[in-house]
């Protein structure tokens, strides 16, 4: 698809229009774009991103959103509903993460704008807490550090960058894709504020050895953040369904905070996530207040100021509508589909699954560049997410993949793709795809400069993201 498929069909707004357009015309334009774009994933061949994929569910969330779309959750005196939604969302996530196992501290949480938001808030909390209680602060000549397995999400790198935390990234075992606690132990020192683990990680969907890391964190007196952004809303149900999910939540001694994305397997709208803390004191350490401002005493629970009441309402609505039974039912379909797809991958000698994943799996090949497989499957509608070092492709199985016929289509298309990859490799041809986070795998140049230019300049810079002007 071109970057500007609408340039010839709809007005391009290079300036704020002097005269507004009728509502019905705008809605028709939006509907046209949305319906065309939905077709890309509705067939079930797109990894991750559309976690629910059920238009009736989206319509229900839209109704919930609409009731509070105009509300600013910051203005609590006007909207006690938001206190109810936020408090209950946090309570439900604490319940899911087994905060009932916590006996000596008061657990607490925050609703944030997404996985990155939850991770940023957690890292800020560790930094502030360590400065206050352990004297780890640049002013005292000490730079806080966080130890992170290489597979943990770049949001942790971003947090280190933003908050002046030293990032101690350690390698993972290439076979299991998991971090070795001994490797983590070797880099923890007096200025370590937290260790990070994933359940599961984005590249491979695998779960770090959290019980051992918890014991290590307790022994060394540091925090342990478990990134459950991807797995937080599905692994608990995988455990209930008997999929042998290793413990990763507050039942594990030493786990001090967990991020879990409502906007992924929580099936809520994009823009919401939750981070929960074993100890309210850790959560509170990142609070900011300014009581001397002429505009009044200022305080907010996290980094944002005004927040959408609509999103809180829709997130809450998703959770109380589905309930444990609904989440378990969806998880059963997703785990079964992922297992069937992994069996198909295992049926090919040239393909190798990375580690021991469950609902999100990645595979590579020692016989050919796996991106030949991605190249071949892209025109058949498949959109994998790509990994690098080594090249691999992953499928985060979501509800759209559970529709009838999809697993069979995967079997057919993968078999053809493997034959194609074998042939391409034999002829010494290079694959076109490259691993680009958040972008389509397939059809991308592997020229990194060109990719960066395309993403940063072409898509994020709003001026350049306009279609070229016709002279
Ligand atoms: C394991 C993990 N952590 C964090 C994130 C970041 O989440 P977000 O894109 O909502 O900021 C993701 C996103 O896919 C993820 O998979």
């Amino acid at each position: 698809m071109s970057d500007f498929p609408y340039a010839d069909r709809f007005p391009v707004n290079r300036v704020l229009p002097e005269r507004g357009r009728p509502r019905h015309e705008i809605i028709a334009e939006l509907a046209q774009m949305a319906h065309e774009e939905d077709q890309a994933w509705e067939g079930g061949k797109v990894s991750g991103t559309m976690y629910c994929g059920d238009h009736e569910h989206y319509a229900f969330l839209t109704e919930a959103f609409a009731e509070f779309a105009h509300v600013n959750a910051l203005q609590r005196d006007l909207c006690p509903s938001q206190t109810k939604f936020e408090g209950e969302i946090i309570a439900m996530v604490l319940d899911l993460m087994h905060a009932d196992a916590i006996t000596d501290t008061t657990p607490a949480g925050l609703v944030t704008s997404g996985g990155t938001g939850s991770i940023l808030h957690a890292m800020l909390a560790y930094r502030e807490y360590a400065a206050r209680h352990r004297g780890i602060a640049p002013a005292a000549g000490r730079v806080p550090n966080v130890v992170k397995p290489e597979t943990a999400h770049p949001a942790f790198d971003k947090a280190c960058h933003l908050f002046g935390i030293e990032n101690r990234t350690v390698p993972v075992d290439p076979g299991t894709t998991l971090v070795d606690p001994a490797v983590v132990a070797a880099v923890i020192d007096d200025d370590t504020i937290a260790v990070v683990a994933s359940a599961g990680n984005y590249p491979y969907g695998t779960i770090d050895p959290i019980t051992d890391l918890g014991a290590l964190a307790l022994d060394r007196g540091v925090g342990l953040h478990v990134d459950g952004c991807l797995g937080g809303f599905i692994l608990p149900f995988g455990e209930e369904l008997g999929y042998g999910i290793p413990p990763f939540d507050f039942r594990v001694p030493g786990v001090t905070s967990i991020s879990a994305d409502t906007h992924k397997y929580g099936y809520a709208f994009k823009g919401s996530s939750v981070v929960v803390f074993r100890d309210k004191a850790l959560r509170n350490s990142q609070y900011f207040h300014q009581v001397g401002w002429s505009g009044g005493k200022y305080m907010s629970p996290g980094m944002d100021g005004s927040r959408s009441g609509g999103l809180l309402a829709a997130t809450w609505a998703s959770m109380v509508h589905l309930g444990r039974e609904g989440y378990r039912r969806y998880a059963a379909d997703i785990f079964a589909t992922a297992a069937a797809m992994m069996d198909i991958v295992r049926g090919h000698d040239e393909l190798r699954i990375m580690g021991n994943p469950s609902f999100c799996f990645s595979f590579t090949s020692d016989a050919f560049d796996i991106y030949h497989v991605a190249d071949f499957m892209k025109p058949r509608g498949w959109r994998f997410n790509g990994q690098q070092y080594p090249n691999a492709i992953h499928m985060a199985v979501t509800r759209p993949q559970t529709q009838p016929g999809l697993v069979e289509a995967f079997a057919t298309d993968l078999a053809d793709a493997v034959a194609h990859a074998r042939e391409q490799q034999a002829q010494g041809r290079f694959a076109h795809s490259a691993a680009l986070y958040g972008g389509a795998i397939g059809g991308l140049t592997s020229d990194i400069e060109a990719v960066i230019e395309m993403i940063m300049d072409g898509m994020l810079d709003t001026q350049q993201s306009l279609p070229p002007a016709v002279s």
Side-chain angles (χ1 to χ4, degrees):
M1 189 196 278
S2 122
D3 284 344
F4 307 112
Y6 309 115
D8 300 336
R9 288 188 280 163
F10 305 125
V12 176
N13 299 290
R14 294 180 195 279
V15 295
L16 181 65
E18 178 58 32
R19 294 175 74 86
R21 294 162 58 196
R23 287 178 183 151
H24 69 86
E25 192 185 301
I26 295 167
I27 294 296
E29 183 177 324
L30 292 172
Q32 181 74 27
M33 290 189 271
H35 294 158
E36 282 179 27
E37 291 174 14
D38 280 348
Q39 285 169 22
W41 59 265
E42 282 171 341
K45 295 180 175 177
V46 172
S47 166
T49 195
M50 297 297 166
Y51 292 85
C52 183
D54 172 347
H55 284 293
E56 278 180 25
H57 183 71
Y58 294 150
F60 160 66
L61 296 190
T62 302
E63 253 183 79
F65 185 96
E67 295 291 346
F68 294 92
H70 48 289
V71 167
N72 181 356
L74 189 69
Q75 319 277 357
R76 287 296 157 94
D77 57 329
L78 284 178
C79 49
S81 55
Q82 302 303 313
T83 305
K84 170 182 165 66
F85 299 149
E86 188 156 30
E88 293 185 11
I89 291 167
I90 292 168
M92 290 188 277
V93 173
L94 283 168
D95 174 47
L96 204 55
M97 295 299 118
H98 280 99
D100 56 343
I102 301 172
T103 50
D104 50 348
T105 51
T106 306
L110 275 178
V111 179
T112 74
S113 60
T116 302
S118 286
I119 289 167
L120 292 180
H121 281 88
M123 294 299 109
L124 182 61
Y126 284 111
R127 188 192 75 171
E128 295 298 286
Y129 190 87
R132 210 164 300 159
H133 298 281
R134 294 171 58 201
I136 306 173
R142 301 174 67 184
V143 177
N145 70 71
V146 162
V147 183
K148 174 201 113 122
E150 194 278 323
T151 45
H153 195 272
F156 292 100
D157 303 60
K158 187 184 267 187
C160 289
H161 167 72
L162 291 174
F163 302 144
I165 298 170
E166 183 192 336
N167 177 349
R168 296 195 174 168
T169 295
V170 294
V172 298
D173 180 294
T176 62
T177 74
L178 304 180
V179 75
D180 177 350
V183 172
V184 174
V187 296
I188 294 177
D189 65 13
D190 289 347
D191 294 336
T192 301
I193 57 173
V195 167
V196 168
S198 305
N201 60 60
Y202 170 86
Y204 310 119
T206 48
I207 304 173
D208 285 314
I210 288 166
T211 302
D212 291 347
L213 290 170
L216 174 65
L218 276 178
D219 181 50
R220 304 292 290 272
V222 302
L224 173 60
H225 179 85
V226 173
D227 181 12
C229 284
L230 193 58
F233 268 85
I234 188 161
L235 291 175
F237 302 102
E239 180 188 343
E240 286 181 23
L241 292 161
Y243 277 93
I245 307 298
F248 67 93
D249 57 29
F250 287 125
R251 286 171 294 179
V252 180
V255 170
T256 44
S257 58
I258 309 173
S259 42
D261 283 1
T262 32
H263 74 187
K264 292 191 174 79
Y265 290 99
Y267 309 115
F269 276 152
K270 286 295 174 207
S272 85
S273 168
V274 179
V275 54
V276 283
F277 299 84
R278 180 178 287 271
D279 185 353
K280 188 176 176 173
L282 180 59
R283 192 269 315 259
N284 291 5
S285 65
Q286 58 77 50
Y287 281 166
F288 176 82
H289 57 263
Q290 157 63 292
V291 294
W293 182 43
S294 52
K297 297 185 195 335
Y298 177 92
M299 58 211 72
S300 70
M303 282 184 268
D304 292 328
S306 297
R307 289 188 303 147
S308 161
L311 271 181
L312 283 175
T315 302
W316 176 87
S318 181
M319 295 176 75
V320 297
H321 169 63
L322 287 166
R324 281 188 172 268
E325 184 276 326
Y327 283 114
R328 195 181 303 111
R329 188 159 31 87
Y330 287 179
D333 290 345
I334 289 171
F335 277 99
T337 301
M341 292 175 93
M342 281 193 279
D343 279 346
I344 290 164
V345 173
R346 288 192 192 97
H348 294 276
D349 289 343
E350 295 105 322
L351 302 181
R352 176 165 61 84
I353 291 182
M354 307 288 289
N356 183 25
S358 56
F359 67 96
C360 167
F361 64 94
S362 173
F363 57 102
T364 185
S365 173
D366 301 320
F368 45 70
D369 184 350
I370 196 71
Y371 289 158
H372 283 307
V373 168
D375 283 352
F376 181 88
M377 291 180 83
K378 187 170 187 259
R380 293 198 182 180
W382 293 94
R383 183 184 190 268
F384 299 97
N385 301 110
Q387 289 83 58
Q388 50 186 354
Y389 319 124
N391 285 356
I393 53 180
H394 95 196
M395 175 59 74
V397 179
T398 57
R399 294 198 63 233
Q401 278 87 65
T402 64
Q403 59 189 279
L406 210 280
V407 170
E408 292 74 11
F410 180 67
T412 307
D413 292 343
L414 186 66
D416 293 348
V418 166
H420 165 86
R422 218 183 281 136
E423 193 187 304
Q424 296 296 302
Q425 193 77 13
Q427 296 184 6
R429 297 213 180 103
F430 291 108
H432 301 296
S433 300
L436 176 66
Y437 179 85
I441 179 80
L444 277 172
T445 167
S446 52
D447 171 353
I448 191 63
E449 295 298 328
V451 170
I452 289 171
E453 190 179 331
M454 182 181 93
I455 298 298
M456 297 302 194
D457 296 343
M459 292 184 180
L460 296 187
D461 180 305
T462 50
Q463 278 307 312
Q464 291 193 35
S465 70
L466 293 175
V470 185
S471 54

